Amino acid sequence: MATHDEGPAVTVSGLSKVFGRRGNPPVTAVDDVSFSVEHGSVVGLLGPNGAGKTTTIKAILGLLTPTAGNIQVGGVDVQTNPRGVYRNVSAVLEGSRNIYWRLSPRQNVEFFTSLQGIHPKTVREDHDEVFDWLGLTNKVDDPVTNLSRGMKQKTALACAIARDTDVLFLDEPTLGLDVETSLDLRRELRRLAEHDGKTILISSHDMDVVQDVCDRVIIMNEGRVVADERIDDLIALFRSQTYRIAVSHDEAALRTHLHEFEVTDWAVRDGHIEFDVVLRDGDRFYDLMDTLREGGVRLDSVTAIEPDLEDVFLTVTENGGMQ
């Protein structure tokens, strides 16, 4: 179990980043973002492309200088003591060379472990275990440059995990992984958090991974935090607010009756008209039923659609935040 100082594992306060280009107007990538991450938790940082999440991650890791704001990792200020932060953080950044391609997976893991002050020979069995569940055992001595994209990703993950830091940042960690390895990684990340007390931040477009692994999600859009909730609580806010309805009625007349509601996914199946209705207010369900009854619409079925994290993510980002 990791030992921790008092206070959150990661604290971001008033973070802003403005990129200026000569001859062009400045671009605000991150605008007054604040959040904290507790020790031993797994947090998803989500957002559409251009939302500012990658800039936020790089600022936390000390890879770029913020325009404003303060960041601490394990109580250490990122700007004034970056080396102190690096000792506590490992990262896998999507689209970056996180490892040395001329070295083998084993040599990479031994190198990055030694940077942490750990003698590789004392943890060789631990490294072999990581290689095994990542499916790297037969490739540990091959140069990384000869490996597939998936194997390169596995090597980067092995290096990050082997450094045994308190905080782990993973940007698109399952990219290029086969299904079995992806499932194994999810289980290992939960184990690292629950049994070893590691703090893990994940940025991914794979909502299944985030929903399976994370305790909480922070959703960014247009440089701001638009939602910050535990996953179960966030999904519960949207539960039973979308209904799939099947009726027997003239479609043109039905559309007229429902003009005041948010209706999507019209379809005709087996002589029935089916559509989805999104209700922002729970009391609107009774208004919907009254509208259908007053219009003489024969109701065949009503089914509450259980949302998942992807549904919530799309709704929050499309509406600019929690309603």
Side-chain angles (χ1 to χ4, degrees):
M1 180 72 69
T3 58
H4 307 123
D5 296 327
E6 293 183 2
V10 179
T11 303
V12 177
S13 302
L15 175 64
S16 295
K17 179 61 181 178
V18 179
F19 291 98
R21 296 180 179 177
R22 184 176 300 177
N24 294 313
V27 175
T28 301
V30 178
D31 187 7
D32 194 24
V33 164
S34 298
F35 61 85
S36 62
V37 179
E38 298 304 316
H39 291 283
S41 61
V42 186
V43 176
L45 185 61
L46 308 179
N49 292 334
K53 57 186 186 298
T54 298
T55 299
T56 299
I57 291 173
K58 288 184 176 181
I60 295 172
L61 294 174
L63 299 179
L64 56 80
T65 302
T67 304
N70 177 264
I71 304 167
Q72 293 188 352
V73 178
V76 179
D77 189 281
V78 172
Q79 294 186 64
T80 61
N81 188 7
R83 290 194 176 189
V85 171
Y86 297 154
R87 286 194 292 269
N88 294 322
V89 175
S90 298
V92 175
L93 300 180
E94 190 266 327
S96 300
R97 284 200 174 189
N98 301 281
I99 51 180
Y100 292 102
W101 286 17
R102 292 187 179 182
L103 302 181
S104 69
R106 185 178 297 282
Q107 289 170 330
N108 268 283
V109 166
E110 290 179 347
F111 172 74
F112 286 105
T113 299
S114 66
L115 291 180
Q116 201 66 15
I118 303 171
H119 197 290
K121 290 184 178 180
T122 65
V123 287
R124 189 178 179 92
E125 290 184 3
D126 294 335
H127 292 173
D128 287 341
E129 185 177 336
V130 174
F131 290 140
D132 183 52
W133 68 259
L134 281 173
L136 274 169
T137 301
N138 295 329
K139 300 290 184 180
V140 291
D141 296 317
D142 294 352
V144 168
T145 190
N146 294 339
L147 302 182
S148 66
R149 182 182 184 183
M151 288 293 181
K152 290 184 175 75
Q153 179 76 350
K154 291 178 181 181
T155 303
L157 288 166
C159 291
I161 292 170
R163 286 191 62 215
D164 195 28
T165 56
D166 288 343
V167 182
L168 185 61
F169 279 84
L170 302 176
D171 192 7
E172 299 294 351
T174 58
L175 193 66
L177 300 186
D178 56 84
V179 174
E180 184 177 356
T181 303
S182 176
L183 293 174
D184 287 341
L185 177 62
R186 300 181 203 188
R187 287 189 287 268
E188 176 66 10
L189 293 178
R190 285 307 317 174
R191 188 195 68 78
L192 288 171
E194 294 171 3
H195 297 287
D196 295 354
K198 304 297 185 185
T199 305
I200 304 171
L201 284 85
I202 298 175
S203 177
S204 178
H205 287 90
D206 190 332
M207 295 297 167
D208 289 338
V209 171
V210 174
Q211 188 164 341
D212 280 354
V213 174
C214 296
D215 308 302
R216 165 180 160 222
V217 289
I218 298 168
I219 301 177
M220 296 184 64
N221 196 26
E222 296 181 351
R224 290 179 170 269
V225 172
V226 294
D228 183 352
E229 302 280 347
R230 290 188 60 83
I231 285 184
D232 291 343
D233 294 341
L234 189 60
I235 292 175
L237 290 174
F238 290 81
R239 183 164 288 123
S240 298
Q241 291 188 348
T242 301
Y243 297 87
R244 180 158 297 141
I245 297 176
V247 301
S248 298
H249 201 73
D250 176 70
E251 182 176 348
L254 183 61
R255 287 179 180 269
T256 300
H257 293 315
L258 295 173
H259 72 276
E260 62 180 288
F261 295 93
E262 186 177 339
V263 182
T264 62
D265 296 336
W266 289 88
V268 178
R269 296 186 180 90
D270 301 325
H272 303 286
I273 298 175
E274 294 184 2
F275 54 91
D276 292 348
V277 180
V278 181
L279 303 177
R280 306 298 175 190
D281 183 342
D283 292 337
R284 289 286 283 163
F285 178 79
Y286 301 103
D287 296 336
L288 172 65
M289 294 297 103
D290 289 342
T291 297
L292 294 174
R293 185 177 61 255
E294 291 168 2
V297 178
R298 195 181 82 186
L299 193 64
D300 296 322
S301 66
V302 178
T303 305
I305 299 176
E306 290 291 319
D308 58 16
L309 183 59
E310 184 170 2
D311 297 323
V312 173
F313 172 77
L314 292 172
T315 301
V316 169
T317 52
E318 288 171 359
N319 291 309
M322 303 290 289
Q323 301 299 312

